[in-house]
Amino acid sequence: MAITGIKGMNDILPAEIAVWQYLEASARRVFGCYGFNEIRVPVVEKTELFKRSIGETTDIVEKEMYTFADRNDHSLTLRPEGTAPVMRSLIQHKLFNRDPLTKLYYMGPMFRYERPQKGRYRQFHQIGAEVVGADDPRIDAQVLVMLCQYFAEVGITDVSLQLNSLGCKECRPAYREALISYLASRTDALCEDCQRRFQTNPLRVIDCKAVGCNSATADAPAMIDHLCGHCDNHFHAVRRTLDDLEVDYEINPRMVRGLDYYTKTTFEMVTNNLGAQNAVAAGGRYDGLIQELGGPALPGIGFAMGVERLALLKGEDSQLVEKPALFIAALGEGAQRVAFILMTRLQRRGVRVEMDYAGRSLKAQIKRADKLGAAHTLIIGETELAAGAGVLRDMTSGDQEPLALSAAEDLLVQRLVCSRIALDGALTTRL
Ligand code: ATP
Ligand code: MG
């Protein structure tokens, strides 16, 4: 029996790749405008890194990590998210010494042992961005503006930005106590998980999807009503800056992120179009994380977008799929030989060209050119070969014109490369 892939870990097939490459290229372009540089970190880290950063009592660390012992009995974990590894690298290489305001982005696979369903997988991909070195509220706003611009540029419009503040180590402990005592008087209504965790991770209860927990916490105290002066001012300044920049957002006082390191501004980009998986992107400020991981006391903020969810929302877009500029339909041995040489020369000069190798009929070859979406077909039969001129067919209009084979290479490069550049230009402006 053939060996299959692992449940929840998907192949991204050639038919889907155009959207993925488009989403990735758009991130590089948009993030680049804001001064972000790419960083690539390994997919495996010491387990301790995630325990210390994400938090021992979070869902991710408690039940979602792929953790294993290597041959030396070291505990390693497939990264469940990107922020902790990027911060580990930043500290290890002292990136903050090169630039006091470090702006990084990353993209790649993440791993969580979850129940696979639409928009939720065991290997999934994130595109994320991080800014380290400033707690200025304008930085929070800038990160959010960049996130919104990304969605607008890739044409995903049916999303909304939700904002909250989770306070800091000054104000959160008191709020946490207030929440625990609120929950303590309602434990009967909570789900089994929350009954167990409301003392250790009370914020998770607010976020719990169970109906009982949801109604039991309807009037629970909200963090934004318990912020200290500093966090309150910070949150107001973020909101004011977003208003200045005409960025739409909603305040969601119930939004609690599932990772312990978040402080102050937190946010999610949500949609109604993905069923239960309503978050497409999420992030927030993590002012204590770098110090917690053994680095200097530098503040940071970032987000991660789920690429599978972005791709589901974007849907298929045939305009994004790269198609051959030319198909050469050649009949007979002599014409096939000329065609193969011409095709290779054109490919060497940057034109996307295809031909047939199976000696099919002209009709079958043109059918294949059509199926591949070739913009033009150059027909070279025995007669054309003898006359030294093929027939160039525009596959959209059906117009045909003779093309001297001796000059074909230069003429085609000129025409097809130029139309390619025009198409790219049109795509970039349209998007
Ligand atoms: P969710 O509430 O859907 O479980 P999360 O809060 O665990 O999301 P984050 O850790 O904030 O997600 O990750 C950021 C983004 O990564 C999410 O908004 C989502 O788009 C994507 N993501 C997270 N987990 C998965 C997964 N298992 N499969 C696919 N995408 C995921
Ligand atoms: Mg999750």
Side-chain angles (χ1 to χ4, degrees):
M1 213 170 58
I3 298 169
T4 56
I6 297 167
K7 187 178 169 197
M9 304 205 178
N10 301 319
D11 302 309
I12 300 148
L13 299 172
E16 307 160 72
I17 209 73
V19 173
W20 280 70
Q21 289 177 340
Y22 169 72
L23 291 168
E24 290 162 359
S26 303
R28 294 182 195 286
R29 183 165 47 78
V30 173
F31 297 178
C33 292
Y34 290 84
F36 285 71
N37 278 312
E38 185 176 358
I39 183 166
R40 299 188 190 188
V41 290
V43 293
V44 191
E45 297 275 354
K46 293 178 183 163
T47 302
E48 184 55 25
L49 173 67
F50 301 111
K51 285 195 174 167
R52 226 201 278 176
S53 55
I54 299 170
E56 298 263 9
T57 62
T58 58
D59 275 5
I60 296 180
V61 173
E62 272 186 353
K63 50 191 186 199
E64 294 175 1
M65 292 205 307
Y66 277 92
T67 297
F68 58 95
D70 73 1
R71 286 171 192 278
N72 270 330
D73 241 10
H74 293 137
S75 180
L76 306 181
T77 294
L78 295 183
R79 62 183 186 191
E81 58 104 48
T83 303
V86 169
M87 293 310 129
R88 191 267 312 139
S89 174
L90 174 123
I91 296 166
Q92 188 173 337
H93 303 288
K94 299 191 171 59
L95 298 184
F96 37 81
N97 284 347
R98 289 166 178 240
D99 190 345
L101 189 65
T102 313
K103 297 180 184 177
L104 302 167
Y105 74 86
Y106 59 86
M107 48 183 75
M110 306 293 160
F111 305 83
R112 295 185 195 176
Y113 196 82
E114 301 197 71
R115 196 169 64 78
Q117 53 199 287
K118 183 184 169 192
R120 189 175 295 284
Y121 311 100
R122 290 181 174 174
Q123 172 173 309
F124 61 100
H125 296 74
Q126 288 185 335
I127 300 177
E130 317 283 355
V131 183
V132 170
D135 65 357
D136 190 312
R138 283 173 300 179
I139 296 292
D140 303 47
Q142 189 178 52
V143 164
L144 290 166
V145 168
M146 184 172 90
L147 180 64
C148 292
Q149 185 186 336
Y150 179 80
F151 276 83
E153 295 221 7
V154 299
I156 301 176
T157 48
D158 202 3
V159 285
S160 59
L161 177 63
Q162 298 200 341
L163 208 58
N164 194 16
S165 175
L166 290 182
C168 66
K169 62 177 191 302
E170 301 302 322
C171 50
R172 194 146 75 204
Y175 166 70
R176 208 170 160 273
E177 289 311 313
L179 186 58
I180 291 177
S181 46
Y182 174 91
L183 295 171
S185 61
R186 290 167 176 77
T187 44
D188 289 351
L190 304 181
C191 74
E192 224 172 280
D193 271 348
C194 286
Q195 290 193 0
R196 178 179 53 81
R197 70 187 167 198
F198 85 93
Q199 299 271 7
T200 48
N201 198 346
L203 272 74
R204 270 302 272 119
V205 184
I206 299 187
D207 195 40
C208 183
K209 304 288 182 286
V211 183
C213 299
N214 208 283
S215 50
T217 56
D219 299 318
M223 185 68 238
I224 43 170
D225 299 324
H226 290 75
L227 296 175
C228 60
H230 175 76
C231 287
D232 199 41
N233 287 339
H234 191 273
F235 195 46
H236 274 95
V238 173
R239 296 182 56 177
R240 202 167 46 240
T241 316
L242 289 174
D243 294 339
D244 287 347
L245 300 171
E246 295 173 354
V247 172
D248 287 335
Y249 59 85
E250 291 160 25
I251 302 295
N252 178 0
R254 295 180 63 88
M255 187 181 68
V256 174
R257 307 284 310 115
L259 300 87
D260 280 357
Y261 52 63
Y262 285 117
T263 55
K264 293 190 189 131
T265 315
T266 45
F267 51 90
E268 281 186 359
M269 197 61 105
V270 297
T271 174
N272 291 320
N273 300 334
L274 286 179
Q277 276 55 254
N278 67 344
V280 204
R285 188 162 269 295
Y286 44 84
D287 288 350
L289 176 62
I290 295 162
Q291 201 169 23
E292 181 64 35
L293 292 176
L298 288 171
I301 180 167
F303 64 78
M305 311 187 284
V307 186
E308 283 79 0
R309 294 185 194 178
L310 288 171
L312 282 167
L313 290 176
K314 177 72 186 154
E316 280 177 27
D317 185 341
S318 61
Q319 265 195 290
L320 299 177
V321 179
E322 268 215 68
K323 300 175 190 86
L326 182 72
F327 188 95
I328 309 182
L331 278 180
E333 214 175 294
Q336 284 267 330
R337 187 160 162 245
V338 169
F340 188 74
I341 294 169
L342 178 60
M343 177 179 77
T344 308
R345 287 194 167 154
L346 289 168
Q347 286 167 333
R348 281 180 179 151
R349 294 180 67 180
V351 187
R352 196 167 171 128
V353 190
E354 291 282 349
M355 67 177 279
D356 169 73
Y357 302 92
R360 274 183 262 256
S361 71
L362 182 63
K363 201 172 147 205
Q365 291 193 42
I366 294 197
K367 210 169 141 193
R368 184 160 146 74
D370 221 23
K371 195 164 172 221
L372 291 172
H376 295 83
T377 300
L378 176 63
I379 301 161
I380 316 175
E382 303 284 358
T383 356
E384 285 84 6
L385 188 64
V391 173
L392 186 66
R393 178 190 290 194
D394 182 316
M395 298 296 280
T396 322
S397 65
D399 292 347
Q400 302 203 138
E401 57 182 296
L403 187 74
L405 292 176
S406 56
E409 184 186 331
D410 284 342
L411 275 170
L412 286 168
V413 167
Q414 213 174 26
R415 266 176 64 170
L416 302 177
V417 172
C418 289
S419 71
R420 182 63 231 261
I421 291 168
L423 179 72
D424 278 353
L427 266 181
T428 323
T429 2
R430 185 178 65 84
L431 301 164

